[in-house]
Amino acid sequence: MQDIFNYVEAHKEEYMDMLFSACRQPSISAQNIGIREMANLVSDFLQKAGAAAEIIETSGNPFVYGTVDAGREKTLTCYNHYDVQPVDPIEEWKSDPFVPEIRDGRIFARGVADNKGNLLARLCAVHAWLQVRGTLPVNMKFICEGEEEVGSPHLKEFPRKYPEKMKTDGILWEGGSRDIGGPVHVALGAKGMCYVEMNIRTAASDLHSANAAVIPNPAWILVRALNSLKDANENILIDGFYDNVRPLSDLDREYLEKLPYNEETTLEQFGVQGFLLGLSGYPLRKRLLYSPTCNIAGLISGYTGAGGKTVLPAAATAKMDLRLVPDQDPDKIFTLLRNHLDKNGFEDIALSRVSSKPPFRTDPSHPLAKSVIRCVREVYGTEPAVYLNLSGTSPIYDLCSADKIGAVQIGVANEDSRAHAPNENIFLRDYIDGIKLVASVMDDFSKA
């Protein structure tokens, strides 16, 4: 692989320019800003890399699909997304989020970590292979969506409508990072998600707070409902919530025991004094990766502006995400939550589901998983940190579940990349090494 690695190093300015071009183009799916322009740009990048490209329309944002048919027995697919999060709060950015800037060895821009850096690293790996050797060791496919940041509402349409385009031997899925100065993360699974919204209204409009003596306050009702969901020890009190949680296997425990997790650095980055329940070591890692959650993501009610306003709110809203572990079903969890509210006297709270994803897992014995782990050792000279289960959620289930396709996550971000936050960044070195890693995986997987 040294000839290809040398080419990547010699052309890193070109590959940086491609990434900078991608980051200059806004593509905020939540606000429908720049989506079509970004889809066209991804199509251009695919063609520049040497792939055939097509834009596939949906009832939402389009997919961009690319192929390189090398006439090989094996096919490797890359799933990525080209949309990004909004930039708010803009005042906390140290530079324009859509004008990439290099500072202290890092590239700062919205989307550079999530997910344009990963997408471009994979395209550049294909480009380097074709420039150096003229052909690829595997057939390559690219599935790029524009709605990941809003829950991938149309992703499940792709395998159903285009089964031929989904035929593959493995998928490198979007995302992925490494500890700063430490091991590369190789992820084989992710938690599921049931994202819900609770709403309650008790009056036609906001009222003078003098009426609080005789008119029910929806904020208080909602607070009591939320308080019924968990106890002081973080146990989730929804009847049946834990019934289908899969017990940890010997394999789970084996990987969890040797998984590195720098607690001191994490606390410093998060700006907190300690972890929930005072946990550390193995119990902390176990809770982070294998425990379901019931999280309040947002609360809205009444007056929240500057100064005082004596108001009795007419309505209250809570947004919640419940992250799920194997074998929890988001449909069942939603039903259990509705039952819990009704049982505890909160029938008047309307419950709606915003999005949901089941948990996903690839067996570590899958050939692609083995190839990625081998290649991390080759490119970085260190053992990877292998996560059988991530603490976060991915839409990869929608692509892989029907045909039980194995998927592995590797990427160019780091644990301080600040995805979804101001000053999103990646290390320049990680981007170049990420290109080499994907190039190496293509070679190794072809022989697996």
Side-chain angles (χ1 to χ4, degrees):
M1 293 297 298
Q2 196 57 52
D3 56 343
I4 293 177
F5 291 175
N6 290 342
Y7 184 91
V8 172
E9 288 290 345
H11 291 79
K12 61 184 179 183
E13 294 295 330
E14 176 185 356
Y15 293 153
M16 282 175 53
D17 287 344
M18 292 173 65
L19 176 57
F20 277 40
S21 294
C23 292
R24 289 189 190 102
Q25 174 58 57
S27 51
I28 306 172
S29 51
Q31 300 168 343
N32 195 27
I33 296 175
I35 292 296
R36 179 63 58 173
E37 293 84 351
M38 190 67 215
N40 291 334
L41 189 58
V42 172
S43 178
D44 292 343
F45 284 141
L46 280 163
Q47 294 174 69
K48 181 176 181 179
E54 61 178 308
I55 293 178
I56 301 173
E57 300 297 338
T58 73
S59 54
N61 297 339
F63 294 107
V64 186
Y65 179 72
T67 57
V68 181
D69 186 355
R72 304 295 187 177
E73 180 181 348
K74 284 189 176 177
T75 298
L76 179 62
T77 296
C78 295
Y79 159 66
N80 290 89
H81 63 91
Y82 60 83
D83 63 321
V84 302
Q85 283 281 331
V87 299
D88 309 278
I90 186 66
E91 65 273 8
E92 293 186 15
W93 284 83
K94 294 181 180 179
S95 56
D96 190 318
F98 294 112
V99 179
E101 184 174 297
I102 297 177
R103 300 194 301 271
D104 301 323
R106 301 192 194 201
I107 307 170
F108 289 84
R110 172 54 90 221
V112 69
D114 185 16
N115 179 246
K116 294 177 181 179
N118 293 318
L119 171 58
L120 268 296
R122 296 167 184 188
L123 290 173
C124 291
V126 170
H127 181 267
W129 257 100
L130 291 174
Q131 295 305 306
V132 174
R133 301 193 185 177
T135 188
L136 301 182
V138 291
N139 306 314
M140 291 293 297
K141 293 181 178 180
F142 290 86
I143 300 171
C144 307
E145 68 155 320
E147 297 178 319
E148 195 273 345
E149 300 293 9
V150 290
S152 301
H154 297 93
L155 185 60
K156 62 182 65 175
E157 294 179 9
F158 194 90
R160 186 174 68 248
K161 290 185 176 181
Y162 309 104
E164 287 297 317
K165 297 182 188 299
M166 277 303 306
K167 287 186 177 180
T168 188
D169 296 290
I171 294 179
L172 294 178
W173 105 67
E174 56 87 25
S177 66
R178 66 178 300 189
D179 293 332
I180 297 177
V184 173
H185 299 179
V186 176
L188 305 180
K191 289 183 180 181
M193 167 83 79
C194 182
Y195 195 108
V196 301
E197 187 171 293
M198 297 183 188
N199 288 281
I200 181 166
R201 175 173 287 275
T202 57
S205 64
D206 287 356
L207 303 172
H208 193 292
S209 66
N211 293 290
V214 293
I215 302 297
N217 186 318
W220 276 117
I221 297 172
L222 190 58
V223 166
R224 294 186 189 110
L226 294 172
N227 196 49
S228 75
L229 298 178
K230 286 205 303 187
D231 65 19
N233 293 316
E234 295 294 318
N235 297 304
I236 298 169
L237 304 177
I238 301 169
D239 286 345
F241 184 83
Y242 295 102
D243 286 357
N244 297 110
V245 172
R246 183 192 303 175
L248 264 65
S249 66
D250 291 341
L251 188 66
D252 288 319
R253 285 187 284 269
E254 175 189 341
Y255 276 86
L256 197 53
E257 283 280 5
K258 59 188 179 184
L259 188 69
Y261 186 69
N262 193 320
E263 298 178 24
E264 184 177 340
T265 300
T266 301
L267 290 172
E268 183 179 344
Q269 288 175 354
F270 290 176
V272 295
Q273 297 299 310
F275 293 106
L276 199 63
L277 303 176
L279 294 177
S280 64
Y282 180 89
L284 174 65
R285 299 195 300 274
K286 179 183 176 183
R287 182 173 180 84
L288 175 65
L289 302 177
Y290 289 92
S291 291
T293 67
C294 181
N295 176 62
I296 300 172
L299 288 170
I300 308 165
S301 188
Y303 178 71
T304 58
K309 182 182 181 184
T310 52
V311 62
L312 174 65
T317 297
K319 295 178 181 289
M320 299 191 69
D321 58 79
L322 296 89
R323 295 195 189 266
L324 312 177
V325 298
D327 296 298
Q328 289 182 300
D329 178 2
D331 292 337
K332 181 178 180 180
I333 295 300
F334 182 80
T335 299
L336 292 176
L337 177 56
R338 178 69 269 174
N339 292 343
H340 173 90
L341 293 174
D342 294 345
K343 177 183 175 182
N344 287 276
F346 301 110
E347 300 94 335
D348 291 340
I349 293 179
L351 181 67
S352 60
R353 180 159 32 169
V354 178
S355 64
S356 62
K357 290 286 180 289
F360 173 81
R361 175 77 69 87
T362 292
D363 194 286
S365 65
H366 190 281
L368 181 57
K370 290 183 173 181
S371 280
V372 169
I373 291 169
R374 280 194 295 267
C375 292
V376 168
R377 295 179 185 132
E378 175 188 351
V379 174
Y380 294 87
T382 59
E383 286 290 322
V386 181
Y387 288 76
L388 298 190
N389 209 56
L390 288 172
S391 60
T393 303
S394 168
I396 191 65
Y397 178 93
D398 290 337
L399 287 182
C400 297
S401 60
D403 296 319
K404 298 182 179 179
I405 302 168
V408 181
Q409 185 191 72
I410 47 173
V412 302
N414 63 78
E415 289 303 277
D416 190 36
S417 277
R418 305 179 190 182
H420 295 205
N423 305 306
E424 183 176 352
N425 71 88
I426 62 172
F427 284 98
L428 174 57
R429 184 71 257 166
D430 286 343
Y431 175 59
I432 300 303
D433 286 343
I435 298 172
K436 295 179 182 179
L437 178 57
V438 174
S440 182
V441 169
M442 291 162 61
D443 180 59
D444 190 275
F445 186 54
S446 73
K447 305 167 186 174

